[in-house]
């Protein structure tokens, strides 16, 4: 959604996929036999795939690839663990990116036009964390099975390889090695 290659078309698909996922992911999780919820999640997933196929991805996936490689964390879980932290990082570094995340929060009815962009981004992050809690998603690498010692030992490799990842060039902010380490440290 905040990719440097994003367009009106990828934005529309991204926004719609997020809105559908926010409505149907939890019901799908709670009742796998809910065919309507599963169909809507299929649609949301497909729309998101079309969006990122056209706009590419960014830092979240770049680090997630490394969490999978280093700690054998499933890719979807790795992305979920990182999402709030990467939103915070990107939004804190660029007013334009903060405004775009804020718009997503407003489109998804997490925030209103009366909320500042910073408040809207905070509401977006809180909503995502609340959904993770309801779905019993781990919020730390240790909860996901990676030991503190292993994470510390692998930190430089994670950051070095994330900087080389094919998804990183379209992130709106190009992080430093130290900034990637900092994001991963927030997951311990």
């Amino acid at each position: 959604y905040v990719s440097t290659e994003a367009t009106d078309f990828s934005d529309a698909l991204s926004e719609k996929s997020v809105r559908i996922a926010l409505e149907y992911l939890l019901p799908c999780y709670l009742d796998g036999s809910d065919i309507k919820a599963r169909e809507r999640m299929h649609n949301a997933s497909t729309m998101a795939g079309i969006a990122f196929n056209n706009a590419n991805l960014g830092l979240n996936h770049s680090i997630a690839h490394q969490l999978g490689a280093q700690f054998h964390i499933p890719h979807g879980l790795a992305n979920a663990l990182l999402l709030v932290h990467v939103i915070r990082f990107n939004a804190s570094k660029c007013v334009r990116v903060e405004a775009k995340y804020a718009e997503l929060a407003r489109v998804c009815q997490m925030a209103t036009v009366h909320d500042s962009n910073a408040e809207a981004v905070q509401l977006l992050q809180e909503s995502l964390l609340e959904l993770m809690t309801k779905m019993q998603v781990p919020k730390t690498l240790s909860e996901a099975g990676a030991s503190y010692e292993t994470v510390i030992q692998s930190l430089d490799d994670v950051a070095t390889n994330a900087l080389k990842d094919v998804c990183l060039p379209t992130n709106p902010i190009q992080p430093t090695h130290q900034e990637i380490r900092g994001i991963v440290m927030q997951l311990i």
Side-chain angles (χ1 to χ4, degrees):
Y1 185 65
V2 297
S3 165
T4 58
E5 306 253 329
T7 66
D8 290 338
F9 299 100
S10 63
D11 282 357
L13 288 164
S14 296
E15 289 169 357
K16 184 68 172 183
S17 67
V18 171
R19 285 182 20 222
I20 292 171
L22 287 171
E23 184 174 349
Y24 290 98
L25 183 57
L26 184 59
C28 191
Y29 168 79
L30 294 172
D31 180 6
S33 66
D34 184 338
I35 298 302
K36 179 181 179 183
R38 290 176 65 160
E39 178 184 0
R40 295 306 306 266
M41 284 308 302
H42 167 78
N43 293 346
S45 177
T46 301
M47 284 186 266
I50 294 168
F52 77 68
N53 190 53
N54 285 284
N56 206 344
L57 296 162
L59 179 60
N60 211 89
H61 279 264
S62 296
I63 300 174
H65 291 149
Q66 302 316 310
L67 299 183
Q70 293 289 332
F71 313 123
H72 309 290
I73 295 173
H75 188 61
L77 174 56
N79 276 289
L81 285 167
L82 288 159
L83 188 56
V84 168
H85 303 285
V86 171
I87 289 171
R88 184 180 305 117
F89 172 80
N90 283 334
S92 72
K93 300 285 186 180
C94 179
V95 173
R96 180 190 61 77
V97 173
E98 179 186 53
K100 195 157 184 185
Y101 283 129
E103 180 60 23
L104 181 63
R106 291 180 187 107
V107 165
C108 294
Q109 299 178 346
M110 298 171 188
T112 71
V113 294
H114 303 292
D115 294 308
S116 71
N117 285 347
E119 291 167 332
V121 172
Q122 183 63 37
L123 291 167
L124 172 64
Q125 293 170 305
E126 289 170 6
S127 294
L128 294 171
L129 288 171
E130 181 181 333
L131 181 60
M132 289 174 69
T133 298
K134 288 178 180 175
M135 294 180 62
Q136 302 173 340
V137 175
K139 292 188 184 80
T140 66
L141 290 169
S142 61
E143 289 175 11
S147 72
Y148 176 84
E149 295 79 20
T150 304
V151 174
I152 295 301
Q153 290 171 354
S154 303
L155 209 47
D156 281 324
D157 288 341
V158 168
T160 297
N161 292 328
L163 285 168
K164 297 175 187 175
D165 191 89
V166 69
C167 296
L168 190 61
T170 52
N171 196 67
I173 309 302
Q174 291 304 299
T176 65
H177 188 273
Q178 203 59 29
E179 288 170 328
I180 293 173
R181 284 177 52 106
I183 290 168
V184 176
M185 287 297 292
Q186 293 174 45
L187 299 176
I188 294 179

